[in-house]
Amino acid sequence: MESTDLGLVRRLRRRHTDIVEPQTFRLLGQEWDLLPGVYAPNLTPSAALYAEWLPYPVDGAFCEVGCGTGYISVLAAQRGCARVTALDISPAAVDNTRRNADRHAVAGQVTARCGDVFEPLDAGDRYDLVFWNSNFVDVELPESSDAMLDRAFADPGYTTHDTFLRTVADHLTPGGRVMLGFTDLGDTGLLTRLAATHGWRLEPRRRAVGEYPDGELRYELIELVRR
Ligand SMILES: C[S@@+](CC[C@H](N)C(=O)[O-])C[C@H]1O[C@@H](n2cnc3c(N)ncnc32)[C@H](O)[C@@H]1O
């Protein structure tokens, strides 16, 4: 029998299957590019919530892990961050982010790079705020032609969360902050244990309940604080 989590990933994937050509969507009063195979932020309320909740470091440096379409990275630049780095393991997401940075004339502030978590960064790269709207479903994924898209939703065994929690401190300025976008479809217990292993504790900063295809979902902005 299929696990609930795998069923969830399949339903999330299905919602993206009719996106076969570049599209645009509106969010927070602006028009954005969306490429096939990239997580579509307009399909859930989380996009607008996280974008409004984040304490963008004005004149500072912002790093977004798992940038997807890049709308948060572009908004960070529009809201005053001097330097924005957008990272994603999906080449399509990096391309999508560059398009949105061009569309909104912030390509000079937003650098998009492809790779695993912080791997594309240089050793000395430091940020005042690091944010990841994470792929929070913990489930083993079967072989799939949509493997890269599935990674937008799922992190089997939370190995990517583990890498993030283990290495994020290497990329913070003194006083730099770390935040995660998370939901109650994620495994908060596992996240808490992994965070503790790497010297962090979770402090929820903002919370809202929103509509989701399967019903209501709790969206949270969680700050990682040193234990
Ligand atoms: C839930 S989506 C969020 C996308 C975008 N930030 C948004 O809010 O619309 C998670 C993103 O993390 C990316 N991702 C998954 N595993 C990753 C990894 N190991 N390194 C970097 N990015 C990863 C996915 O490709 C996806 O774009």
Side-chain angles (χ1 to χ4, degrees):
M1 203 176 84
E2 184 173 274
S3 79
T4 313
D5 285 347
L6 190 52
L8 173 66
V9 170
R10 289 220 161 96
R11 285 196 295 286
L12 289 168
R13 189 201 299 153
R14 261 201 303 276
R15 302 188 73 207
H16 287 73
T17 48
D18 55 347
I19 305 170
V20 290
E21 291 193 352
Q23 299 184 358
T24 60
F25 64 93
R26 283 196 75 75
L27 188 69
L28 297 170
Q30 300 189 77
E31 191 91 356
W32 305 90
D33 285 296
L34 170 64
L35 295 181
V38 178
Y39 179 86
N42 52 318
L43 297 181
T44 76
S46 63
L49 292 174
Y50 300 143
E52 292 297 359
W53 286 343
L54 280 171
Y56 301 104
V58 172
D59 297 329
F62 174 77
C63 177
E64 183 182 16
V65 174
C67 53
T69 59
Y71 74 97
I72 285 183
S73 289
V74 168
L75 281 166
Q78 290 176 332
R79 295 189 185 186
C81 296
R83 187 166 63 89
V84 176
T85 303
L87 306 171
D88 207 294
I89 199 157
S90 154
V94 171
D95 184 14
N96 203 147
T97 296
R98 290 185 180 137
R99 286 186 189 216
N100 277 318
D102 283 340
R103 173 187 274 275
H104 294 285
V106 292
Q109 289 138 273
V110 178
T111 304
R113 295 199 196 155
C114 191
D116 187 17
V117 196
F118 298 111
E119 175 268 328
L121 297 184
D122 295 326
D125 288 345
R126 298 277 185 279
Y127 297 90
D128 301 299
L129 176 61
V130 175
F131 172 68
W132 181 26
N133 176 15
S134 83
N135 28 307
F136 45 75
V137 186
D138 175 16
V139 67
E140 282 305 321
L141 295 168
E143 291 281 312
S144 155
S145 54
D146 286 325
M148 194 54 88
L149 181 60
D150 286 351
R151 294 192 65 167
F153 317 121
D155 178 20
Y158 273 17
T159 53
T160 302
H161 286 77
D162 187 61
T163 304
F164 179 90
L165 292 161
R166 179 169 45 78
T167 52
V168 63
D170 298 339
H171 298 290
L172 294 176
T173 56
R177 303 174 75 181
V178 187
M179 295 192 174
L180 280 179
F182 210 70
T183 81
D184 51 4
L185 293 173
D187 187 339
T188 309
L190 178 55
L191 182 68
T192 304
R193 289 194 295 281
L194 287 175
T197 304
H198 298 298
W200 299 99
R201 65 187 155 80
L202 311 184
E203 287 203 356
R205 295 287 179 229
R206 302 292 297 261
R207 187 173 284 165
V209 172
E211 291 295 319
Y212 201 68
D214 295 336
E216 285 192 335
L217 199 59
R218 193 183 68 205
Y219 298 95
E220 274 188 327
L221 183 69
I222 298 174
E223 182 158 9
L224 299 173
V225 179
R226 276 298 182 196
R227 281 159 66 85

